[in-house]
Amino acid sequence: MTLSPSNWPKKLFTSTTVIHVLVFLSVASSTLEAAAGGSTFELELPDAAQSEEIKVKSTDFPGDFVFGVATSAAQTEGAPKADGKGQSVWEYFAAHFPGIVKDNTKFPDGIDSYNRYMDLGVGSYRFSIPWTRILPSGALSGGVNQKAVDHYNSLINELIKNGIKPSVTILHFDLPQALEEKYGGYLNRSFVNDFRDYSDVLFKTFGDRVKHWVTINEPKVLALYGYENGWAPPGCTRRSIRFTEPLVFGDYPKSMKESVKERLPAFTEEEKTALTGSFDFLGINYYLSGFARNEPNPSPEAMLPHEIDAKASDQVAKNGVVLGNPLGSYPEGLQKLLEYTKTKYQNPNIYIAENGVGGFRNDTMPLEVVLNDGFKIVYILRHLNAISKAIKNGVKVKGYYIWTLLDDFEWGTGLMFQYGLYNIDFNDNFKRMPRLSAKWYQAYLQKT
Ligand code: BGC
C-alpha cells in the first residue's frame, strides 16, 4: 500500500536552518533553591541565568506548550548491526572518509542508546528512527524488520507510559546506503517513492501512538554539506536547494527559478496541489545567526554554488563584528526569524525542533568542571525569552526541544563538542552523568 501526500497524516513538519557554535560565557554564580520531584535541592546557577533580562519562567508559556529534548539515531544509538539493521550513508561515509569524519572509528558505537533507556521528566522526546533498521535494504520490497518494529514499539510505549510525547523524525541524515548506490539517493525521483513507502510503514506501525512526525531534518544542511562542501555523505559537490516555499505555496520562489533555471527540478501540477499547505507545523532548528551580503555580480571563484544562485554570500561578520555577543549567541535572530516566518508563510504553527550549545571536549578537565555547564542554561534561557516575546507578538510557537539529551557523535566533528544535558564518559562504558543543565531543566519544568 502506498501513501500519497494528500493522505499523509496531518502531522508533518520540515526543519530548516541551522549552523551552530559553541559558547562559553564566563559567569559568576549564585545559589537557587529549586523544587524537583517533590524535594528541594540547591543548584549553583550562573548569575546571568537569573538576570531580569531573561527572567522567563516555564509557566509564562501557553499551557499546551511542549518542552522537550531531542536526539537522532545515527548520533546516539550505536548497535549498527543489531536486529538486522542495514547500512546508512553515514556509516558508509564514516568508514570510508576518515579524514573528513573525526573520531570515525567511534561512529558505529554511538553512545549505545539502542540498548539503554532513560527518563528526564520532560514533556516530549524527539528522536529519529533509522530507515535501515525498519527497512534494512532501504526498499519496502526487501521486507520490514519485525525486530526493529518491536524495539521502537517498546520505546514508544515506555515514553507514553511516563507521560512523554514521542516526536519522531523520519529521516535525520541517515539515508540507506543501498539507495545511494542504487540510484544516487536524493537526486533521483525514485527517492520520493521509497521515502513514501518508508514513511507509510512508520505511520501504519506507530501512528496510533505517535502524533508528531518530523519529515526530513534540515534539508538545507543536507544539501549544503552533502552536495556542496562534501563534509557529509555522499560527499560530492553538485547543487543546493531551498525548501520552505513549496510547502506553503506549492512551488519554488520565482527568483529562485530565474537564477537556478534548468537545474531546478519542476513540480507537476498534481504535486503542486498536493504540496500547497501540506504541513501542520514547521520545525526550526536554531543555533545562531549570520549575515548575508548582496552579491549582484556573484563570483564563481570566491563563492559557493548556492551563494551564486542566491546572489548573496554568507558572512559570519560585518565589518569585523559578529551578530550578538562575540561568542555567537544571538537570540534576537530567533525572534526575528519567527516573526518573519509568521508574516511570510501565513502564520504557521512552529516548533523549535533544536536549540542548544556545546562545549569543547577536554578529557583532562576535572569532572566537576565538565558537569558545570551554566553557560548552556544561560543560552537556553536567552532563547526561551526570545521565543516568549515572539509568542506575545502573535507567532504560533508550540514547543521547544533542547539539542541534545546526551553527548553524542557530532557528525564530521566526531566527539569534539559536548551538547548533552548529560555527560557521556567514553572511557567508562558510556556512563551517563547529569550536568547542571539537566538538573536545572528538570527543576525549571516542575516549577509552577
Ligand atoms: C543537527 C544535529 C546536530 C546539531 C548540533 C543540527 O544541525 O540536526 O544532528 O548534532 O545540529 O551540531
Side-chain angles (χ1 to χ4, degrees):
M1 148 100 187
T2 55
L3 194 73
S4 67
S6 57
N7 66 1
W8 276 20
K10 273 287 202 172
K11 282 293 165 205
L12 303 173
F13 79 87
T14 178
S15 298
T16 178
T17 284
V18 77
I19 309 191
H20 18 85
V21 80
L22 45 152
V23 175
F24 287 105
L25 301 174
S26 69
V27 281
S29 61
S30 68
T31 306
L32 177 88
E33 202 173 85
S39 60
T40 60
F41 61 88
E42 307 233 307
L43 291 180
E44 279 281 320
L45 291 186
D47 286 345
Q50 296 165 73
S51 78
E52 279 308 314
E53 186 215 342
I54 54 171
K55 227 173 195 167
V56 58
K57 299 193 293 292
S58 55
T59 46
D60 292 339
F61 289 83
D64 58 353
F65 190 87
V66 172
F67 286 95
V69 285
T71 62
S72 93
Q75 295 174 271
T76 55
E77 280 193 352
K81 299 219 163 82
D83 295 341
K85 182 181 179 302
Q87 192 182 39
S88 75
V89 287
W90 260 96
E91 281 157 333
Y92 178 90
F93 191 70
H96 290 82
F97 296 86
I100 302 182
V101 182
K102 200 176 165 309
D103 305 318
N104 72 312
T105 55
K106 306 264 191 199
F107 184 77
D109 291 332
I111 57 165
D112 196 36
S113 71
Y114 192 66
N115 297 307
R116 310 170 194 216
Y117 289 174
M118 68 179 297
D119 177 22
L120 180 65
V122 291
S124 178
Y125 177 46
R126 176 184 166 218
F127 61 99
S128 73
I129 295 185
W131 188 330
T132 52
R133 263 196 223 282
I134 301 292
L135 304 179
S137 77
L140 184 57
S141 55
V144 177
N145 180 6
Q146 189 56 40
K147 281 190 182 159
V149 167
D150 294 346
H151 174 88
Y152 292 104
N153 264 332
S154 104
L155 170 61
I156 290 164
N157 292 343
E158 195 63 23
L159 288 170
I160 291 173
K161 204 167 85 196
N162 284 285
I164 300 172
K165 265 190 218 151
S167 168
V168 177
T169 311
I170 299 174
L171 183 55
H172 196 126
F173 300 162
D174 51 356
L175 181 79
Q177 175 66 17
L179 301 185
E180 183 61 41
E181 287 171 14
K182 192 161 144 196
Y183 52 67
Y186 305 105
L187 298 184
N188 193 304
R189 268 195 177 252
S190 304
F191 166 79
V192 175
N193 294 334
D194 282 323
F195 183 69
R196 183 192 53 209
D197 287 351
Y198 169 52
S199 306
D200 190 21
V201 171
L202 294 188
F203 298 152
K204 283 203 275 169
T205 314
F206 308 115
D208 57 332
R209 285 149 296 149
V210 177
K211 303 298 176 191
H212 233 237
W213 294 96
V214 179
T215 49
I216 299 182
N217 185 69
E218 296 174 356
K220 181 178 168 192
V221 170
L222 203 157
L224 183 67
Y225 281 43
Y227 296 91
E228 197 167 80
N229 62 26
W231 295 345
C236 44
T237 302
R238 289 184 219 172
R239 63 183 173 212
S240 166
I241 333 167
R242 264 190 280 169
F243 296 88
T244 308
E245 193 102 356
L247 294 174
V248 181
F249 303 113
D251 207 352
Y252 292 112
K254 190 161 164 269
S255 60
M256 191 170 171
K257 287 189 189 170
E258 280 166 7
S259 68
V260 185
K261 302 197 172 73
E262 65 289 342
R263 284 176 297 123
L264 192 66
F267 293 116
T268 64
E269 286 309 313
E270 199 189 346
E271 284 169 337
K272 285 184 190 171
T273 310
L275 268 172
T276 307
S278 61
F279 64 98
D280 290 319
F281 52 95
L282 196 67
I284 293 181
N285 295 358
Y286 182 88
Y287 290 84
L288 58 83
S289 294
F291 292 97
R293 188 169 64 202
N294 186 30
E295 304 276 6
N297 303 304
S299 140
E301 289 76 40
M303 289 165 62
L304 290 165
H306 83 272
E307 295 175 320
I308 296 171
D309 284 341
K311 292 199 172 67
S313 62
D314 303 332
Q315 304 289 327
V316 175
K318 188 176 168 190
N319 304 326
V321 179
V322 297
L323 273 174
N325 77 41
L327 299 162
S329 161
Y330 189 59
E332 297 86 342
L334 175 57
Q335 187 183 340
K336 283 185 192 157
L337 177 64
L338 288 169
E339 289 169 4
Y340 174 82
T341 306
K342 168 184 176 242
T343 312
K344 171 103 178 152
Y345 297 120
Q346 303 175 342
N347 200 9
N349 289 329
I350 296 176
Y351 283 79
I352 305 303
E354 285 177 30
N355 177 240
V357 60
F360 265 115
R361 173 178 304 284
N362 174 354
D363 286 342
T364 63
M365 219 145 58
L367 185 62
E368 59 274 20
V369 178
V370 175
L371 298 180
N372 193 355
D373 59 348
F375 69 91
K376 201 176 289 166
I377 301 171
V378 176
Y379 177 96
I380 292 167
L381 277 169
R382 282 165 58 90
H383 287 81
L384 283 173
N385 187 49
I387 295 166
S388 152
K389 285 189 193 160
I391 293 176
K392 287 191 186 114
N393 290 338
V395 184
K396 296 195 287 186
V397 188
K398 301 292 179 185
Y400 173 83
Y401 290 80
I402 294 178
W403 187 269
T404 180
L405 177 59
L406 308 132
D407 286 350
D408 61 1
F409 196 97
E410 281 293 331
W411 309 114
T413 57
L415 305 179
M416 199 196 292
F417 298 116
Q418 300 179 308
Y419 279 84
L421 298 180
Y422 278 70
N423 179 63
I424 297 291
D425 189 341
F426 286 87
N427 301 312
D428 184 9
N429 189 29
F430 306 109
K431 188 171 160 200
R432 304 162 170 198
M433 292 198 70
R435 292 201 167 94
L436 182 62
S437 57
K439 296 177 184 164
W440 163 79
Y441 198 33
Q442 212 162 9
Y444 184 75
L445 299 187
Q446 286 180 10
K447 275 177 80 178
T448 51

